[in-house]
Amino acid sequence: MAKIVLLQEGQAIPFDLAGAETVIGRHPECTFQINSNMVSRKHAKVTKSGETFVVEDLGSGNGTFVNGKKIEGPTPLIHDDRIKLGPILLRFEWPETALAVPATRPQPAPVTAAEPAKTAFNVDLSEGDEDTSTIMGTLDRSTGFGKLEVNPEAKLKGVLEISRALAGTADLNALLPKILDTLFNIFPHADRGCILFTDPTTGKMVPKAMKHRRAGDDETVKLSRTILKTVLEEKTGILSADAANDSRFQASESISNLTIRSMMCVPLLSLSGEPMGVINIDTQNAFNQFRTEDLDLLMAVAGQAAMSYEQANLLITAMEKQKQDKEMNIAMGVQRSLLPEELPKPHGWEIYASYDTAQAVGGDYYDAFMLEDGKHVCLAFGDVAGKGVPASLVMSRIATVVTNVMTFVTDVQEAILRINHQMCTRAVEGRFVTFVLLVINLETGEMKIANAGHMPVMIRKTDGTIEEYGEEAVGVPIGVIDEYPYDVLMRPIEKGETCVIYTDGVSEAMNHASDLYGVDRLRELMRASTGGHAEDLGKTILADVRKFADGRPQNDDITIMVFGRK
């Protein structure tokens, strides 16, 4: 007959599996009652189905394991299978099938103490009446290295050992297992260890690395929520044991079959002194338990481990920043290539433009090119709502749209309608463009202009007065309303007149007192100028804006275009 054998306190207690279903747990109503608070009330059940026995977990707190593997569903049993209910060890026996049924279930290979086995991350947090951990000692809150005056030789050796082991490691996935490898060398009687970090999103403790020394052991590392809470909140190390006063500490059988263990749990403190996570190691050796000196040593080693982890994290962040900077430099080069490399130099005219972004890339735009007849020049000027990468993507689109439209259309009225239509077709919500489109007859000086939500063109006349032209005909920005009927104005540019188009990065430039540069200051600067070259006036405006800002970083892109008739 098949049976379950309980291996406890040096005894083998058999129980016949006579019925179709055997419920195992600590509740008196269970078919097979086990008196241990590490076993749930109804922990697992064994069911007979034809000539097969199947074990299934019943939602227990500490899990059910077959040959060291935690089961997630009904699992068939074969002769000599080892079953663990939490730390309680049982053996399934069905001798009459031992020869008939091949033992095909893979058995774990033995692992020496010098090469601890690495297992899947499986952490069980005990709570409520399952949490039986007894705190045996704590460390006073001091630093992440414990009390430096206590056992300094051992601490120095441990810190040096872990520093040497972690030197040059920038891979966080490789760093944490190395920490456990080193801890197993520093604490040769440690059986299991794990490192948990706090998930910044959920606030839950997430296992990042785990190690156990003996193959075939229960791969789950069981932690006490009470201890974790104390370690994280008080930033202190904890030495604990399960049922510390239990007489079974004197038992001669393998301690791995008992519920007793000695555990140390210490925080991993960041440079700011806040806990990032915890290191937990335990031993199941009843005769070589951890002591307070071990806890203080672990605290010191954990301090160095936390520092190494943060240094590696900072290095990775710096490398990612360098990569992003490189990519942004490439993006800046691409955006600059959308601007004209050289402005037209038609006879009797001057054109100057300048573009300074607040970030690596920006949302301002300008272009100037001769039309195919050689008698007209087209000037385009725009400002995308926002700045940075999103604005630069919209800027690149309108630059392409303007080039494509003006290649086939020279009439300003039709051109701005087509530009607006294409930008509205695939518009991004909230990413409109204030825009000015001009076509100038180079022989007559006649300027045709359409303004889509931008500031009026400022014109310095030959007598020094300033005219803000086209204010009454400013339409809605590009990309807002499809088929909007923009007005087109016509005005001759007289000889000696100079025109300025600018973005709000000029008028809204700030000094350290948060005062704005303003349109009035720009108007007075243009009035005080002597006329002359467009380039001179453009550079004078830029220099005055920078002087006004007095070193305060610009908060928006600064772009100007100056053109005039000699």
Side-chain angles (χ1 to χ4, degrees), residues 46 142 241 298 315 332-333 383 385 396 458 493 561:
V46 177
S142 49
L298 179 60
L315 178 59
M332 181 171 60
D383 183 2
S396 65
M458 299 185 72
I493 303 297
M561 177 180 280

Side-chain angles (χ1 to χ4, degrees), residues 326-546:
K326 184 177 180 180
E327 291 175 349
M328 289 303 295
N329 287 334
I330 294 173
M332 181 171 60
V334 172
Q335 185 179 41
R336 293 287 179 178
S337 69
L338 298 174
L339 303 176
E341 293 183 6
E342 187 176 353
L343 296 173
K345 297 179 181 179
H347 179 71
W349 292 81
E350 285 188 325
I351 304 173
Y352 170 80
S354 174
Y355 182 31
D356 291 327
T357 60
Q359 301 176 17
V361 292
D364 286 359
Y365 157 74
Y366 72 86
D367 203 354
F369 49 89
M370 298 292 298
L371 298 184
E372 286 189 357
D373 59 9
K375 298 179 180 180
H376 295 81
V377 64
C378 176
L379 304 179
F381 193 89
D383 183 2
V384 180
K387 50 183 175 289
V389 174
S392 72
L393 295 175
V394 179
M395 175 269 187
S396 65
R397 183 155 187 259
I398 194 169
T400 304
V401 169
V402 170
T403 301
N404 291 339
V405 169
M406 296 309 296
T407 300
F408 304 100
V409 179
T410 57
D411 180 72
V412 175
Q413 180 78 60
E414 183 181 356
I416 196 166
L417 288 175
R418 290 195 180 188
I419 292 170
N420 182 50
H421 173 70
Q422 291 194 32
M423 293 300 292
C424 286
T425 301
R426 296 182 179 179
V428 178
E429 185 177 356
R431 295 294 174 181
F432 57 84
V433 185
T434 63
F435 182 72
V436 180
L437 181 66
L438 307 93
V439 173
I440 302 173
N441 187 315
L442 298 174
E443 295 179 355
T444 65
E446 183 182 70
M447 173 180 67
K448 294 183 178 181
I449 178 172
N451 192 323
H454 203 77
M455 285 79 72
V457 178
M458 299 185 72
I459 304 176
R460 185 189 186 280
K461 299 182 179 180
T462 54
D463 61 0
T465 58
I466 305 299
E467 177 186 358
E468 297 185 36
Y469 180 70
E471 187 173 10
E472 71 282 2
V474 175
V476 300
I478 294 293
V480 176
I481 302 176
D482 197 5
E483 298 183 1
Y484 180 86
Y486 292 98
D487 294 328
V488 177
L489 303 180
M490 291 181 287
R491 182 193 187 282
I493 303 297
E494 303 295 339
K495 292 182 179 180
E497 289 186 335
T498 306
C499 306
V500 176
I501 313 177
Y502 61 95
T503 60
D504 53 11
V506 174
S507 57
E508 296 179 5
M510 289 185 183
N511 58 17
H512 291 285
S514 296
D515 299 323
L516 297 178
Y517 184 82
V519 179
D520 292 338
R521 186 181 178 101
L522 176 60
R523 188 183 297 112
E524 290 301 319
L525 181 66
M526 291 180 61
R527 182 182 292 116
S529 68
T530 58
H533 299 293
E535 183 176 354
D536 292 341
L537 179 57
K539 290 183 177 180
T540 299
I541 294 172
L542 290 176
D544 194 59
V545 171
R546 293 192 181 99

Side-chain angles (χ1 to χ4, degrees), residues 291-327:
R291 298 172 297 175
T292 304
E293 306 92 272
D294 296 321
L295 179 63
D296 204 73
L297 175 57
L298 179 60
M299 193 74 175
V301 174
Q304 181 60 40
M307 185 179 299
S308 298
Y309 181 86
E310 278 215 304
Q311 288 174 346
N313 210 3
L314 291 173
L315 178 59
I316 291 173
T317 302
M319 293 170 64
E320 290 176 350
K321 178 65 166 57
Q322 287 180 348
K323 181 180 178 181
Q324 291 175 357
D325 290 345
K326 184 177 180 180
E327 291 175 349

